[in-house]
Amino acid sequence: MADALTDLLKTRDWLLADGATGTTLFNMGLESGDAPELWNADHPDRIRALYRGAVEAGSDLFLTNTFGSNAARLKLHAAEARARELSRQSAEIGREIADAAGRPVIVAGSMGPTGEIMEPMGPLSHAAAVEIFHEQAEGLKEGGADVLWVETISAPEELKAAAEAAERADMPWCVTMSFDTAGRTMMGTTSAAMVRLVERLTHKPIAFGANCGVGASDLIRTVMGFAGAKRPLIAKGNAGIPKYHEGHIHYDGTPELMADYAVLARDAGATIVGGCCGTTPDHLRAMRRALETRPRGSTPALDDVATRLGGFSSESDGTDGNAPTRDRSANRRRRARA
């Protein structure tokens, strides 16, 4: 089935994705603890500004403001019945901005994790997870999203549920996991294991990769761990390392650092390069300029990555067997006591 993202990838050897949704919305006045997805209905002009900022900075693809627009997460705000509605509204605003861009721009329907732990470690069944993701996917499809963008996933079981939901919705999709525990996801998945997982799916994503995590250096190393992948890779790293200052979290990555990161990510094998937490339109403009003007290089050495972006958070990349693993039995006991 033809889709807009696949068609655009045929014409380009790299695409620039967007930056941080949360960082931008907090700068617009979102309060900690509030559900940003409610702004799709309550403050659509701010969501238009969010999307327009990415497009004007040079992004070829932006994510909708629907990371937590699923029934499980919206239940925390007594809005679980609005999951499909809020997803549709956000995609509709995105479609409006993309169609007015004057160039091909992809609207990617963001789908974050449910926030629940899946069986057998937790209470969320596969069938229930599929239904949660499917409801959101249908809303994004109705609103005009070009592709579903499943992001910040830690558990293989949740990735599989999202894949089935995308198939039920008859939608193309992409997926990124967050590798934040010495090269592994919180639930222990390595970059190499993700490659195997993706290729075993019946409804395979257009592209896959990593987002968020620790810092730009770690994310580049993770992308290099996807060696041998058969489909385009995604890199969406944080703008440096978070620092807590006067009650707020700030990221120390400058536009110059993120420009270096973008080029290193491309040279490491990523086709879709963007930013995650802390990445603003100023960062995106610098990243676009670097991707357009700096020639493609060979796969970077890890020492060069550390020199240009900062040191790694751990010695292990998760694939050598030396990284710590999550104690799942302990986690189950903690949930049972809660």
Side-chain angles (χ1 to χ4, degrees), residues 98-298:
D99 289 348
R103 58 184 174 87
V105 175
I106 303 299
V107 179
S110 172
M111 296 171 60
T114 63
E116 301 288 340
I117 298 179
M118 292 188 64
E119 293 177 345
M121 295 172 291
L124 184 64
S125 70
H126 174 80
V130 171
E131 184 55 40
I132 289 169
F133 283 129
H134 182 225
E135 178 185 32
Q136 184 180 14
E138 290 291 352
L140 291 165
K141 181 179 181 179
E142 290 168 356
D146 293 302
V147 62
L148 304 178
W149 192 279
V150 180
E151 58 172 327
T152 324
I153 299 297
S154 293
E157 296 85 359
E158 198 160 38
L159 190 155
K160 293 174 185 176
E164 185 172 329
E167 186 171 21
R168 285 193 187 181
D170 193 26
M171 283 287 285
W173 70 299
C174 296
V175 60
T176 58
M177 299 186 85
S178 183
F179 298 82
D180 53 11
T181 309
R184 297 171 180 258
T185 71
M186 183 175 65
M187 301 306 286
T189 302
T190 65
S191 53
M194 186 182 185
V195 174
R196 295 191 295 270
L197 172 62
V198 163
E199 292 306 323
R200 286 196 297 264
L201 297 171
T202 56
H203 184 48
K204 294 178 174 57
I206 295 171
F208 74 93
N211 79 295
C212 203
V214 183
S217 299
D218 282 36
L219 193 128
I220 298 295
R221 185 171 65 176
T222 295
V223 169
M224 294 167 68
F226 293 136
K230 298 179 181 179
R231 56 199 69 249
L233 297 177
I234 301 165
K236 261 183 140 265
N238 293 339
I241 303 297
K243 308 288 185 182
Y244 193 75
H245 179 67
E246 296 182 354
H248 298 281
I249 294 177
H250 300 273
Y251 286 79
D252 63 4
T254 63
E256 292 75 21
L257 180 140
M258 290 303 283
D260 283 345
Y261 147 79
V263 171
L264 288 168
R266 179 197 64 190
D267 293 350
T271 301
I272 303 174
V273 179
C276 203
C277 302
T279 307
T280 68
D282 286 341
H283 294 97
L284 292 172
R285 277 186 281 272
M287 293 163 66
R288 178 86 192 198
R289 191 179 312 114
L291 288 168
E292 288 179 334
T293 59
R294 299 188 199 178
R296 182 178 292 273
S298 57

Side-chain angles (χ1 to χ4, degrees), residues 308-319:
R308 295 171 67 179
L309 303 181
F312 301 104
S313 66
S314 64
E315 292 186 5
S316 172
D317 70 349
T319 63

